[in-house]
Amino acid sequence: MSRTVSTPHVNVECGPRFTPAFNPPERQILTLQDGPAFLTVTEVSELLRVPQGTLRYWRHAGIGPRSVRFGRRVVYRSDDIRMYIESESSRTSRGEDPTETV
């Protein structure tokens, strides 16, 4: 026994045990506006566009945004991320040499 599954794009013949592939929704771009008070490592990684391994290294080296541990879970306060972004953007400006002293 087969059935026809209609989607907006394709008609697919399906057997009794087959279900169409799941299409996940489009990824949401994270912003700090009205966000949660705490962000996960994954969320901060996407927000700063750095790999999660880089965040782990920064935590180990004591650089990067401040993190908080809840047991084994590492989270970041959204205010700390906002301050980190502001400090990094004010530290260097486009076209200026960050090592040059005035």
Side-chain angles (χ1 to χ4, degrees):
M1 173 192 282
S2 66
R3 59 193 165 130
T4 301
V5 176
S6 248
T7 62
H9 305 290
V10 184
N11 288 332
V12 179
E13 285 291 322
C14 302
R17 291 187 173 195
F18 180 79
T19 56
F22 172 73
N23 292 327
E26 283 193 36
R27 287 180 39 164
Q28 175 184 354
I29 296 177
L30 296 174
T31 63
L32 293 177
Q33 305 294 335
D34 303 324
F38 293 99
L39 300 169
T40 65
V41 173
T42 303
E43 292 169 334
V44 173
S45 171
E46 290 176 3
L47 184 67
L48 297 179
R49 298 182 182 197
V50 297
Q52 292 180 22
T54 299
L55 290 176
R56 283 193 296 273
Y57 173 74
W58 286 350
R59 269 196 320 275
H60 170 75
I63 57 178
R66 289 177 39 190
S67 61
V68 178
R69 288 188 71 100
F70 290 122
R72 295 175 62 193
R73 184 179 176 138
V74 176
V75 294
Y76 295 85
R77 291 194 310 225
S78 57
D79 291 340
D80 290 339
I81 299 300
R82 188 176 292 114
M83 287 190 308
Y84 175 75
I85 291 170
E86 289 173 7
S87 71
E88 287 297 303
S89 62
S90 67
R91 190 179 70 142
T92 60
S93 298
R94 187 174 185 170
E96 292 181 7
D97 182 6
T99 59
E100 185 177 308
T101 57
V102 176

